[in-house]
Amino acid sequence: MKTYKKTNKIKSTLINSLLLSVGLLNINASANVEPASLFTNNMVIQQQTNAAVWGKADPKEKIIITASWGESISTVANKLGYWQATLPTPIAEKNNPKPYTIEFKGKNTVVINNVQVGEVWLASGQSNMSYSIDRLKIPRDQIGAINFPYIREFKVKKNASITPVDNAVGQWISANEDSVLNFSGTAYFFAREIHQATGLPVGIVNSSWGGTQIETWLSKDSQLNHQSTQKIKADFDKKALTFNTKESTKIYQKQLQDWQTDKKNSETNGKLFTQRKPYLPEHPHAGKNYPSNLYNGMINPIKGYMVKGVIWYQGENNGKSAERGNFYQTQLTQLINDFRVDWDMPNLPFYVVQLANFKKAQSNPVEPNQYWPYVRESMRKVTDTLKNTDMVVTIDIGDADNIHPTNKMELGRRLSLFALKNEYNRDIIASGPKFQSAEIKGNKMILTFSEVGSGLATDDGQRLAGFVMAESNGEYIWANAEIIPGIKNNTQQVEISSPKINKPTSIKYGWANNPNMLNLYNKEGLPASPFSTK
């Protein structure tokens, strides 16, 4: 008798949202059986589960779903033509697995070919997740092996919607010499590490969009009590009241004409032209950052598609004030919990990518008017609190001059360490040192770190740097830091002191957008995250 992991149910909330979408309300009376676009050639379906499948057909039409691995199920479309079912999937084969087919048969027949059973990961966030390999400008000889027919990406088409939609536009693409350049760099290098380590097919559902805030990825209902989000929404709503499409188009056309004229004149005179091309203003409710628009357009249509876990790279757009950075803790917690409800997986693995070092190198103990540290701290607190979550530290692989750091290969490797350890049972060190607690002893503070591996160390052989200390007045100054020898219960300590402070109250480490002098690692070469003890 076959056994499968816990069923991923498509809950009534999902069904209701799908039924309310425009596409299903306008189903033609003679509609063919049409699986959702996630169920197409070259797809990867999650192994060892009851995988949700769904689509459209004639109202009350019977649909028989047959998979070539030996499963056949049936369902009936409801009165609006929506149908859904769960399809048991087998154990994935390793190393050159055979392809399968899935047949959907009603009044017509749809056959999906070259289906792989494997591991599916959802990749979401803003530009550092969506950034494709070709845009990273990595020399081809440094990318490494790229022909992996068992690594596949479904890139969800960008779609901002004020109401929930039912179907994600996209197609499954296998990684090869040409196609891989359009894959998400972060997701691809993560998937490649998993595939090479396990031999399993890996599918990436890439639902990401650059320049977006976390509130657009959260559902409407989950943010009703978020005062800051409601203020953002109110600002958009106020602009919508006076938005005039005809007038905006007229102004845009005049700006475009002037831009084209200036560009032509510059080229004629041999001058460098750097003026940005104008863009057509969109309705305030139609934008990618109107709260919940990307949840409606890019998460709602894929929720229920069974995944192994989630990788998340976002936060730059929420790091514009200390208040927003601190509130990110609430929002990220909500996002993770929402996804776990949407996928009916209370322990859905969720791995967050920390904001990398960026902009001018740190020169003050605490840099004024820099807010990325608050977002990083929110990420750290969330992943230290919620089960089956963790944060990839990237504070040493950023780029001072580029908000899109190019070292996505190392990022993908670090992401994969968490998955390999937690989901694929590899006996490895996956994390750098994690701050656990602080104790005041006289004029010193003793910090305890977990995840020390085979011991704390510096990556450059120099004294520890990047630690600052404050007294009750709250003014931070540079402090001395010494690693205390000896590991106890997988923890190790660091002593912080300053001859200028007699009664220390708090410590910060790397509290700047680009704290470039940080050097606390474990001996496995993984860095400690910036943090604050209070």
Side-chain angles (χ1 to χ4, degrees):
M1 179 179 179
K2 294 180 180 179
T3 58
Y4 298 95
K5 294 182 180 178
K6 183 176 179 181
T7 300
N8 178 45
K9 302 174 183 176
I10 297 185
K11 300 167 289 302
S12 59
T13 52
L14 169 60
I15 296 173
N16 290 338
S17 66
L18 294 175
L19 294 179
L20 288 172
S21 64
V22 174
L24 289 178
L25 288 175
N26 293 311
I27 285 179
N28 188 287
S30 59
N32 286 328
V33 170
E34 182 182 343
S37 63
L38 280 160
F39 308 101
T40 52
N41 292 341
N42 307 312
M43 69 177 285
V44 181
I45 194 166
Q46 180 62 37
Q47 67 163 329
Q48 289 186 278
T49 190
N50 288 312
V53 292
W54 64 90
K56 295 184 276 189
D58 274 347
K60 305 300 183 180
E61 183 175 356
K62 182 179 180 180
I63 299 96
I64 300 173
I65 304 161
T66 304
S68 63
W69 56 78
E71 292 288 349
S72 183
I73 58 174
S74 64
T75 188
V76 177
N78 66 17
K79 63 182 180 180
L80 292 176
Y82 175 78
W83 57 265
Q84 62 90 16
T86 53
L87 180 64
T89 60
I91 297 174
E93 298 178 5
K94 297 180 180 180
N95 305 316
N96 301 315
K98 64 178 178 291
Y100 293 102
T101 62
I102 303 177
E103 178 185 274
F104 300 85
K105 186 174 182 179
K107 296 175 183 177
N108 64 301
T109 300
V110 175
V111 179
I112 298 173
N113 296 301
N114 196 23
V115 175
Q116 288 294 331
V117 176
E119 300 288 74
V120 181
W121 287 82
L122 170 61
S124 190
Q126 58 181 106
S127 57
N128 270 306
M129 183 62 81
S130 67
Y131 227 62
S132 56
I133 293 176
D134 62 330
R135 296 179 70 189
L136 295 173
K137 306 299 182 184
I138 303 173
R140 182 64 68 92
D141 61 354
Q142 293 181 23
I143 295 177
I146 53 179
N147 289 304
F148 289 102
Y150 302 111
I151 297 177
R152 300 171 183 185
E153 181 187 60
F154 183 96
K155 187 175 294 185
V156 178
K157 184 178 180 180
K158 295 175 180 177
N159 182 24
S161 176
I162 198 169
T163 57
V165 301
D166 73 306
N167 200 22
V169 177
Q171 60 181 320
W172 285 97
I173 302 293
S174 298
N176 59 45
E177 188 170 349
D178 296 321
S179 66
V180 75
L181 296 178
N182 293 317
F183 278 43
S184 157
T186 296
Y188 170 74
F189 291 120
F190 165 79
R192 189 174 72 177
E193 294 284 343
I194 301 298
H195 174 64
Q196 290 183 311
T198 66
L200 296 169
V202 180
I204 294 292
V205 179
N206 176 5
S207 184
S208 55
W209 194 339
T212 56
Q213 298 164 184
I214 192 171
E215 47 267 25
T216 192
W217 295 101
L218 281 160
S219 68
K220 176 183 177 181
D221 289 346
S222 68
Q223 302 185 88
L224 293 176
N225 295 323
H226 293 178
Q227 291 185 359
S228 65
T229 304
Q230 292 307 310
K231 183 180 182 301
I232 292 170
K233 180 179 178 297
D235 290 341
F236 278 111
D237 293 343
K238 183 177 180 180
K239 293 175 183 177
L241 292 174
T242 57
F243 185 82
N244 186 305
T245 301
K246 185 176 180 180
E247 184 64 25
S248 296
T249 301
K250 183 178 179 180
I251 293 172
Y252 161 74
Q253 290 172 340
K254 176 63 169 61
Q255 291 174 336
L256 180 62
Q257 184 178 30
D258 292 343
W259 180 86
Q260 291 170 334
T261 299
D262 292 344
K263 184 174 184 292
K264 184 177 181 180
N265 290 338
S266 294
E267 291 172 348
T268 301
N269 296 322
K271 295 181 179 180
L272 180 65
F273 184 72
T274 60
Q275 183 180 332
R276 284 190 175 185
K277 187 176 181 179
Y279 62 90
L280 179 63
E282 60 188 355
H283 191 281
H285 288 164
K288 63 184 180 181
N289 275 317
Y290 187 73
S292 303
N293 268 12
L294 297 193
Y295 177 87
N296 292 333
M298 298 177 68
I299 298 298
N300 190 74
I302 64 173
K303 68 184 184 183
Y305 191 83
M306 189 63 174
V307 297
K308 185 72 172 183
V310 180
I311 54 176
W312 173 259
Y313 196 163
Q314 190 277 334
E316 295 92 337
N317 269 48
N318 289 84
K320 297 180 178 179
S321 70
E323 180 183 10
R324 293 293 305 278
N326 287 330
F327 185 55
Y328 194 84
Q329 181 178 353
T330 297
Q331 293 176 300
L332 182 58
T333 300
Q334 186 76 59
L335 183 86
I336 295 171
N337 288 333
D338 277 3
F339 277 30
R340 288 175 168 177
V341 170
D342 286 342
W343 269 265
D344 194 31
M345 297 175 67
N347 294 311
L348 176 71
F350 201 105
Y351 298 125
V352 177
V353 180
Q354 178 190 64
L355 298 186
N357 49 312
F358 176 55
K359 293 190 175 181
K360 184 179 178 181
Q362 181 178 10
S363 58
N364 297 304
V366 172
E367 290 289 0
N369 303 317
Q370 293 191 5
Y371 307 116
W372 280 22
Y374 296 92
V375 178
R376 294 186 189 120
E377 186 71 349
S378 287
M379 291 175 167
R380 186 184 71 84
K381 288 179 177 179
V382 170
T383 54
D384 280 353
T385 302
L386 294 183
K387 290 183 178 180
N388 287 19
T389 67
D390 224 314
M391 179 184 71
V392 177
V393 178
T394 59
I395 202 65
D396 59 334
I397 54 174
D399 187 331
D401 300 316
N402 188 355
I403 198 171
H404 305 116
T406 59
N407 195 358
K408 295 294 193 288
M409 280 186 280
E410 174 60 12
L411 169 57
R413 186 188 77 85
R414 291 183 186 180
L415 265 172
S416 75
L417 294 177
F418 289 124
L420 289 171
K421 179 178 181 178
N422 299 326
E423 277 66 63
Y424 304 105
N425 302 314
R426 300 304 168 94
D427 185 16
I428 57 176
I429 302 299
S431 172
K434 291 185 177 183
F435 166 71
Q436 291 292 295
S437 62
E439 180 183 3
I440 299 173
K441 287 190 174 181
N443 63 350
K444 300 177 181 179
M445 290 188 74
I446 307 298
L447 308 182
T448 299
F449 291 85
S450 63
E451 304 294 337
V452 297
S454 52
L456 297 178
T458 58
D459 71 323
D460 54 9
Q462 304 298 312
R463 292 174 60 89
L464 281 178
F467 288 90
V468 297
M469 176 184 278
E471 288 189 296
S472 57
N473 63 5
E475 181 180 350
Y476 286 90
I477 63 172
W478 296 109
N480 300 317
E482 298 285 346
I483 296 172
I484 299 175
I487 300 173
K488 183 177 181 182
N489 297 325
N490 296 316
T491 66
Q492 194 170 354
Q493 295 180 321
V494 172
E495 179 185 276
I496 312 296
S497 63
S498 170
K500 298 180 180 179
I501 292 180
N502 292 318
K503 295 181 179 180
T505 58
S506 62
I507 301 292
K508 291 185 185 294
Y509 177 67
W511 207 259
N513 284 352
N514 184 7
N516 65 321
M517 76 289 288
L518 305 187
N519 62 353
L520 177 60
Y521 287 67
N522 55 26
K523 291 180 180 178
E524 284 69 24
L526 294 170
S529 169
F531 64 88
S532 176
T533 62
K534 62 181 298 184

